[in-house]
C-alpha cells in the first residue's frame, strides 16, 4: 500500500483522499498538481475502483504519458483499461464506436492541418470565390477562422469580422465556405481535429444512450489544467459527469492566459455555480520559487478582481529580492542581460538554467544579436529566431537587393511572394535581372510576361523604383524603406497569408524602430547575418540560454529569469488598456512569467526607445511594476559598460 501521509503534504493528501463529488482544486504554480492527480488516480485504484471507470484528461500527449507512467510506477503495476489522454484522443476512441449515428463510417480518417487547408481550398474553388484577389484571405487563414469560431461556438462570419477584422463582404463568405467544408468532410468520411470534440459533444447531447453509457461508465473523472478549457471541452465534461457526479478539475485561474486559443477563464471561475455542492481545495505550498519571488507574485496577482482568493507560500529558505533594472535603451537592456549571464556562467551555472522571457517576439531581437556577438549559445523556444521569421526575411530581402542588386536569393524571395509568379517565372525574371545593375535599367527592359505575372512584376519594379529614390544618407533611411514596402503591398500580403498578421505587422513596425538606429545599411545587414548564421547548436545543445515568449514558457522553470520590455504600452499591451478583462489576462501573463523563476528574478525595461515616427520616447515602467509594493523588489543600477557605445551606462529613475 502507498503511504499517502508520508509522500504528500497536508493539502495534497486532503485532495487525494476526500475529493469525491464535484471538486475544484486550485493548484498554484509549482505546487505539485501533477503529483496530486497521479496520487488521486492511484488512491482510487487501491480503493477498488476499476481502472476502466476512471477518466483522466490532459491537454498534451506528453502530459498524458507522463501521468500514466507515474501512476504505473506508483502502483507497481500497469492499470489495464485506464482511460487517459488528451480530449482529442478520448473523443476519437468514442467516435470510433458511434460515428455512424452522425452519418460517418467508423473507419473515418482524421485530417491534419495541411489536409484541412487543402479541402477548404477546394471548397473555395467550387464557390468561384476570387481567392486570388488581393483582399480575400488564403485557405490557411480561412481554416484558422473556421477553427477558432467552432471552438468559441460562434459563427465564422462573426469571428472573421470581430476577431480578424475582415470587412462584411468577405466575412459573409465564411459561412458558405464552412457549410461546404462540412459537407465535403461528411461525404469523404473524414474529420478534422475540431470535429473530434464537436462531434463528441453532439453524440452526448443528441443521443441519450451514448450519454448514459459513458456518464455511467466514468465513475471518476479528473481534468488537468481546467483553466485552459474552451466552451466545448467544459460541456463535454459536464455531460460525462452528470450521472456519478465525481468530477475533479485541477487548475489555476491565475494562469489562464490562452483566450486567443478560445480558452475561457469563466469555466474555472464559474465551476462552483455550474456544479452544485462543489468542494474547493487549495494547494498553495510552492516548491519552486524563493519566498521573495512568491511575495512579488502574490502582490501582483491580488490586483485582479475576477479570481479565487489564494496566496502561494514558500517551501524554500529566503533568497535575494527580485530586481528592477531601468536600462537606458534596448541595447543597454540586452547588454545587461548578457553580462549577467556571463557572470553566472563563470560562477559555474549552466546556460540552460537561465531564460529570457518576453511578451512579444520582436522584444527579443536585440537580445538575440547581443548573445550572438558574445558567442553565447541560445535556443528560441517554440518558434524561430526573430530575424529568421518569414515576414521579417521578406522585408529584409528588399534591403538586401538595395545593398546588392545581384543577390539572387533575395530577388527570388521577393518574386515568389507575388501572385502569378512561380519558380519557373521567377527563374525567367532573374535571368533578365542579372544582366542589369539598377532598377532604372530594368524599367526600360522588356520582360515577356502576361496576366497576373506581368501585373506583379510591374508592382515590384515600381516599388524598387520608389525606394531607390529615398535619400540613403538621411537618418531613418532604412526605416522609411521598410515602411514603404509594408504600406505598398506587403501588409495586404500578410493579411491574406498569415493568421496572426496583426502580430507580424507589429513586428515590422518595431523593426522600423530598430533599424532607425542604424545609419549604415550594410552594417545592419551584417549584424542580422551574424544572428542568422551563428552556430549555437540550437536543435541539439541543451546547455543553452532559453529565449521564450511567456505563453511558451508556461509550465517550465529556470533558476534565473529575465523578463524584458516591462514598460507601459508593451506590457500590458496598449491595445488592452481599455478592456478590464484583457488587462486581467495580461496581469495573469505577468504572474506566469514571475513564477517561472526559482532563485533569481530580473525585471527590465528601457527608459528610452526610438520610434521611427515619433522620435525618442521616454518610458515608464509597466503598471504591473508600479502597482507592486516597492519593498518586494530592489532597484539596481546597471554597473555594466555598454558595448554598443563608448560612454558609461547611466541609469535614470522616475
Amino acid at each position: 500500500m502507498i503511504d499517502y501521509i508520508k509522500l504528500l503534504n497536508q493539502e495534497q493528501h486532503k485532495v487525494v483522499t476526500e475529493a469525491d463529488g464535484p471538486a475544484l482544486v486550485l493548484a498554484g504554480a509549482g505546487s505539485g498538481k501533477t503529483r496530486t492527480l497521479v496520487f488521486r488516480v492511484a488512491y482510487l485504484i487501491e480503493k477498488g475502483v476499476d481502472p476502466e471507470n476512471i477518466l483522466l484528461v490532459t491537454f498534451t500527449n506528453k502530459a498524458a504519458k507522463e501521468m500514466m507512467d507515474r501512476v504505473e510506477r506508483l502502483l507497481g503495476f500497469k492499470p489495464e483499461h485506464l482511460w487517459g489522454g488528451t480530449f482529442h484522443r478520448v473523443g476519437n476512441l468514442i467516435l470510433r464506436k458511434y460515428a455512424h449515428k452522425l452519418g460517418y463510417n467508423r473507419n473515418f480518417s482524421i485530417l491534419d492541418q495541411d489536409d484541412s487547408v487543402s479541402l477548404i481550398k477546394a471548397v473555395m474553388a467550387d464557390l468561384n470565390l476570387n481567392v486570388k484577389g488581393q483582399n480575400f484571405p488564403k485557405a490557411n487563414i480561412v481554416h484558422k477562422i473556421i477553427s477558432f469560431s467552432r471552438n468559441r461556438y460562434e459563427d465564422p462570419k462573426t469571428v472573421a469580422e470581430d476577431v480578424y477584422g475582415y470587412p462584411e463582404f468577405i466575412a459573409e463568405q465564411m459561412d458558405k465556405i464552412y457549410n461546404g467544408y462540412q459537407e465535403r468532410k461528411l461525404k469523404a468520411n473524414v474529420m478534422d481535429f475540431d470535429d473530434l470534440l464537436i462531434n463528441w459533444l453532439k453524440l452526448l447531447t443528441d443521443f441519450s444512450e451514448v450519454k448514459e453509457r459513458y456518464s455511467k461508465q466514468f465513475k471518476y473523472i479528473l481534468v488537468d489544467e481546467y483553466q485552459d478549457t474552451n466552451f466545448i471541452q467544459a460541456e463535454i465534461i459536464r455531460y460525462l459527469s452528470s450521472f456519478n457526479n465525481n468530477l475533479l478539475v485541477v487548475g489555476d485561474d491565475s494562469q489562464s492566459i490562452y483566450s486567443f486559443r478560445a480558452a475561457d477563464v469563466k469555466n474555472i471561475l464559474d465551476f462552483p455555480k455550474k456544479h452544485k455542492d462543489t468542494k474547493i481545495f487549495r494547494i498553495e505550498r510552492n516548491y519552486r520559487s524563493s519566498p521573495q519571488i512568491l511575495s512579488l507574485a502574490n502582490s501582483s496577482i491580488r490586483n485582479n478582481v475576477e479570481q479565487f482568493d489564494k496566496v502561494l507560500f514558500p517551501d524554500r529558505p529566503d533568497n535575494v529580492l527580485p530586481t528592477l533594472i531601468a536600462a537606458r535603451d534596448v541595447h543597454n537592456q540586452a547588454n545587461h542581460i548578457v553580462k549577467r549571464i556571463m557572470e553566472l556562467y563563470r560562477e559555474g551555472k549552466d546556460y540552460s538554467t537561465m531564460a529570457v522571457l518576453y511578451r512579444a517576439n520582436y522584444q527579443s531581437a536585440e537580445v538575440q544579436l547581443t548573445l550572438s556577438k558574445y558567442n553565447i549559445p541560445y535556443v528560441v523556444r517554440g518558434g524561430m529566431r526573430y530575424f529568421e521569421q518569414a515576414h521579417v526575411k521578406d522585408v529584409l530581402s528588399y534591403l538586401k537587393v538595395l545593398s546588392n542588386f545581384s543577390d539572387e536569393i533575395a530577388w527570388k524571395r521577393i518574386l515568389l511572394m507575388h501572385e502569378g509568379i512561380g519558380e519557373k517565372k521567377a527563374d525567367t525574371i532573374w535571368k533578365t535581372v542579372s544582366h542589369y545593375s539598377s532598377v532604372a535599367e530594368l524599367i526600360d527592359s522588356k520582360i515577356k510576361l502576361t496576366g497576373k505575372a506581368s501585373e506583379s512584376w510591374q508592382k515590384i519594379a515600381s516599388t524598387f523604383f520608389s525606394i531607390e529614390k529615398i535619400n540613403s544618407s538621411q537618418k531613418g533611411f532604412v526605416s522609411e524603406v521598410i515602411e514603404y514596402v509594408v504600406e505598398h503591398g506587403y501588409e495586404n500580403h500578410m493579411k491574406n497569408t498569415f493568421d496572426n498578421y496583426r502580430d507580424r505587422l507589429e513586428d515590422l513596425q518595431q523593426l522600423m524602430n530598430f533599424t532607425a538606429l542604424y545609419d549604415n545599411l550594410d552594417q545592419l545587414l551584417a549584424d542580422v547575418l551574424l544572428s542568422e548564421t551563428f552556430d549555437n547548436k540550437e536543435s541539439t545543445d541543451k546547455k543553452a540560454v532559453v529565449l521564450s515568449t511567456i505563453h511558451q514558457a508556461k509550465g517550465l522553470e529556470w533558476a534565473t529569469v529575465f523578463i524584458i520590455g516591462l514598460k507601459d504600452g508593451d506590457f500590458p499591451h496598449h491595445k488592452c488598456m481599455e478592456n478590464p478583462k484583457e488587462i486581467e489576462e495580461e496581469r495573469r501573463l505577468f504572474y506566469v512569467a514571475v513564477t517561472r523563476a526559482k532563485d533569481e528574478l530580473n525585471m527590465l525595461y528601457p527608459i528610452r526607445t526610438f520610434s521611427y515616427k515619433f522620435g525618442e520616447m521616454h518610458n515608464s515602467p509597466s503598471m504591473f511594476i508600479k502597482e507592486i509594493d516597492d519593498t518586494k523588489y530592489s532597484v539596481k543600477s546597471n554597473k555594466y559598460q555598454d558595448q554598443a557605445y563608448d560612454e558609461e551606462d547611466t541609469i535614470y529613475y522616475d
Side-chain angles (χ1 to χ4, degrees):
M1 293 288 289
I2 300 167
D3 191 342
Y4 295 96
I5 295 177
K6 181 180 178 181
L7 296 173
L8 300 169
N9 67 36
Q10 189 175 358
E11 294 175 330
Q12 294 167 341
H13 184 267
K14 193 169 183 169
V15 173
V16 169
T17 59
E18 299 179 18
D20 289 350
L24 170 61
V25 181
L26 300 171
S31 63
K33 68 175 180 64
T34 300
R35 181 179 183 85
T36 304
L37 278 171
V38 167
F39 272 80
R40 174 65 177 171
V41 173
Y43 177 83
L44 291 172
I45 293 173
E46 283 200 334
K47 289 296 182 181
V49 180
D50 193 319
E52 73 173 4
N53 296 137
I54 301 173
L55 171 63
L56 174 60
V57 186
T58 64
F59 270 84
T60 66
N61 290 317
K62 181 181 178 183
K65 186 178 185 306
E66 179 188 355
M67 286 192 186
M68 299 293 273
D69 289 346
R70 288 174 65 173
V71 170
E72 182 177 348
R73 289 197 300 271
L74 190 58
L75 290 170
F77 63 89
K78 184 175 183 178
E80 298 292 340
H81 309 301
L82 173 64
W83 285 68
T86 64
F87 277 95
H88 293 88
R89 180 182 180 277
V90 178
N92 176 56
L93 292 174
I94 292 174
L95 283 164
R96 293 295 171 185
K97 294 181 179 292
Y98 294 102
H100 63 281
K101 292 180 176 293
L102 302 174
Y104 291 86
N105 294 326
R106 295 175 180 178
N107 65 336
F108 63 86
S109 301
I110 300 174
L111 299 176
D112 62 19
Q113 184 170 315
D114 289 341
D115 293 335
S116 297
V117 171
S118 296
L119 196 58
I120 287 174
K121 191 180 293 183
V123 173
M124 293 166 71
D126 285 348
L127 292 171
N128 293 317
L129 297 174
N130 183 25
V131 298
K132 293 185 177 181
Q134 292 298 305
N135 294 317
F136 206 95
K138 293 184 178 179
N140 64 309
I141 309 300
V142 176
H143 173 258
K144 290 287 185 181
I145 292 171
I146 289 174
S147 179
F148 188 81
S149 68
R150 299 181 78 196
N151 282 285
R152 283 262 293 256
Y153 234 53
E154 296 180 2
D155 64 277
K157 178 180 180 296
T158 300
V159 169
E161 283 184 295
D162 296 348
V163 180
Y164 285 79
Y166 285 102
E168 185 177 1
F169 76 92
I170 289 178
E172 64 187 6
Q173 301 296 325
M174 296 300 160
D175 288 341
K176 296 179 183 178
I177 299 171
Y178 168 71
N179 291 332
Y181 179 52
Q182 292 299 97
E183 290 172 5
R184 278 196 172 239
K185 285 188 294 180
L186 185 60
K187 186 178 180 180
N189 195 39
V190 297
M191 296 188 194
D192 61 21
F193 287 116
D194 295 326
D195 289 324
L196 297 179
L197 300 185
I198 292 168
N199 287 340
W200 182 11
L201 179 59
K202 190 172 180 62
L203 284 175
L204 296 173
T205 56
D206 294 359
F207 301 93
S208 58
E209 67 274 25
V210 179
K211 174 192 170 185
E212 183 177 354
R213 171 180 173 175
Y214 288 104
S215 65
K216 287 183 176 181
Q217 176 177 337
F218 297 134
K219 294 179 179 179
Y220 291 89
I221 300 173
L222 303 91
V223 185
D224 190 21
E225 303 286 5
Y226 194 72
Q227 78 280 347
D228 295 333
T229 55
N230 60 31
F231 174 82
I232 296 169
Q233 291 161 334
E235 282 295 283
I236 287 171
I237 294 301
R238 186 172 68 85
Y239 276 98
L240 288 178
S241 62
S242 59
F243 185 82
N244 291 296
N245 207 29
N246 288 315
L247 171 60
L248 171 66
V249 302
V250 180
D252 183 4
D253 55 292
S254 298
Q255 297 188 74
S256 179
I257 59 174
Y258 294 122
S259 63
F260 66 94
R261 296 180 185 170
D264 190 349
V265 70
K266 284 291 187 181
N267 287 341
I268 190 169
L269 293 176
D270 293 344
F271 186 88
K273 298 178 185 176
K274 293 184 177 181
H275 299 268
K276 189 179 178 182
D277 299 323
T278 294
K279 299 177 185 175
I280 299 178
F281 300 86
R282 288 174 169 81
I283 305 178
E284 298 173 315
R285 182 182 296 275
N286 177 284
Y287 295 92
R288 175 187 299 156
S289 304
S290 71
Q292 287 72 21
I293 292 171
L294 288 184
S295 181
L296 186 144
N298 289 329
S299 180
S300 173
I301 200 63
R302 71 167 57 103
N303 290 284
N304 271 9
V305 176
E306 289 195 281
Q307 64 173 329
F308 290 105
D309 292 331
K310 55 186 172 301
V311 177
L312 291 180
F313 59 94
D315 194 66
R316 295 183 52 193
D318 283 341
N319 206 327
V320 296
L321 282 172
T323 62
L324 174 65
I325 299 155
R328 184 180 59 207
D329 50 33
V330 293
H331 301 284
N332 177 243
Q333 179 179 251
N335 274 284
H336 174 92
I337 291 168
V338 169
K339 293 298 185 179
R340 181 58 182 150
I341 287 172
M342 292 168 68
E343 279 186 352
L344 291 166
Y345 185 73
R346 286 194 294 269
E347 292 171 6
K349 308 291 195 310
D350 282 347
Y351 287 130
S352 60
T353 64
M354 313 170 205
V356 182
L357 306 183
Y358 37 86
R359 190 195 177 283
N361 283 313
Y362 68 80
Q363 295 174 311
S364 70
E366 191 63 40
V367 176
Q368 292 186 40
L369 286 176
T370 309
L371 287 168
S372 298
K373 288 176 182 177
Y374 283 88
N375 206 37
I376 295 173
Y378 71 92
V379 59
V380 179
R381 176 175 169 77
M384 302 184 71
R385 300 182 191 181
Y386 178 76
F387 292 106
E388 293 177 357
Q389 297 176 104
H391 56 297
V392 176
K393 294 188 74 168
D394 286 347
V395 171
L396 288 176
S397 293
Y398 286 88
L399 300 180
K400 289 180 178 180
V401 170
L402 284 182
S403 175
N404 175 16
F405 198 79
S406 300
D407 190 329
E408 179 182 357
I409 296 173
W411 264 112
K412 286 188 174 179
R413 187 176 188 95
I414 293 167
L415 292 166
L416 290 171
M417 71 175 80
H418 284 78
E419 191 179 352
I421 300 178
E423 294 284 353
K424 289 184 178 179
K425 287 182 180 176
D427 283 335
T428 300
I429 296 172
W430 166 247
K431 287 176 182 177
T432 302
V433 169
S434 63
H435 291 96
Y436 298 93
S437 58
S438 72
V439 172
E441 295 178 39
L442 274 178
I443 295 290
D444 296 330
S445 71
K446 293 185 179 180
I447 300 178
K448 295 182 180 180
L449 297 168
T450 59
K452 288 292 183 182
S454 178
E455 293 177 19
S456 291
W457 170 245
Q458 293 302 318
K459 290 178 182 177
I460 295 168
S462 176
T463 296
F464 273 109
F465 189 71
S466 296
I467 62 179
E468 277 200 337
K469 289 183 176 181
I470 299 173
N471 185 359
S472 60
S473 63
Q474 70 180 14
K475 187 175 179 63
F477 151 70
V478 178
S479 303
E480 190 172 344
V481 170
I482 295 173
E483 182 180 46
Y484 187 92
V485 169
V486 171
E487 292 182 351
H488 290 77
Y490 191 72
E491 180 178 354
N492 203 52
H493 170 78
M494 281 197 301
K495 186 173 184 178
N496 299 327
T497 304
F498 304 115
D499 64 293
N500 60 340
Y501 101 93
R502 287 192 179 91
D503 293 336
R504 294 176 187 257
L505 180 60
E506 185 166 10
D507 276 353
L508 296 182
Q509 290 168 341
Q510 295 299 327
L511 182 64
M512 295 178 207
N513 298 338
F514 175 81
T515 57
L517 301 172
Y518 283 83
D519 296 323
N520 186 290
L521 174 59
D522 293 334
Q523 184 60 54
L524 166 66
L525 294 174
D527 284 350
V528 171
L529 180 65
L530 175 65
S531 175
E532 289 179 341
T533 60
F534 174 58
D535 182 14
N536 64 19
K537 302 178 182 179
E538 181 175 340
S539 60
T540 60
D541 190 355
K542 295 182 180 179
K543 293 187 176 181
V545 178
V546 175
L547 273 61
S548 176
T549 64
I550 302 167
H551 286 100
Q552 288 286 341
K554 186 174 175 290
L556 303 176
E557 61 183 39
W558 295 271
T560 301
V561 168
F562 303 88
I563 308 175
I564 64 174
L566 281 169
K567 69 178 184 70
D568 270 345
D570 281 358
F571 198 179
H573 196 276
H574 62 88
K575 293 180 181 177
C576 303
M577 298 306 293
E578 301 301 319
N579 189 324
K581 290 184 178 179
E582 291 184 5
I583 285 289
E584 294 216 342
E585 178 154 338
E586 291 278 294
R587 189 177 287 107
R588 294 195 294 267
L589 191 63
F590 176 68
Y591 176 85
V592 168
V594 168
T595 54
R596 298 313 93 195
K598 296 166 48 178
D599 304 320
E600 179 180 326
L601 174 65
N602 299 281
M603 304 174 292
L604 302 97
Y605 77 98
I607 293 171
R608 301 196 305 257
T609 50
F610 187 84
S611 168
Y612 164 61
K613 291 187 175 181
F614 304 108
E616 188 174 276
M617 303 175 68
H618 186 86
N619 306 309
S620 60
S622 165
M623 64 177 287
F624 300 148
I625 298 293
K626 295 176 183 175
E627 66 191 16
I628 296 172
D629 182 348
D630 61 12
T631 64
K632 305 296 183 182
Y633 59 88
S634 63
V635 181
K636 281 191 179 180
S637 68
N638 191 339
K639 63 184 179 180
Y640 303 118
Q641 182 167 347
D642 192 335
Q643 301 297 315
Y645 302 92
D646 293 329
E647 61 185 283
E648 292 288 324
D649 289 335
T650 303
I651 303 299
Y652 304 88
Y653 303 104
D654 295 328

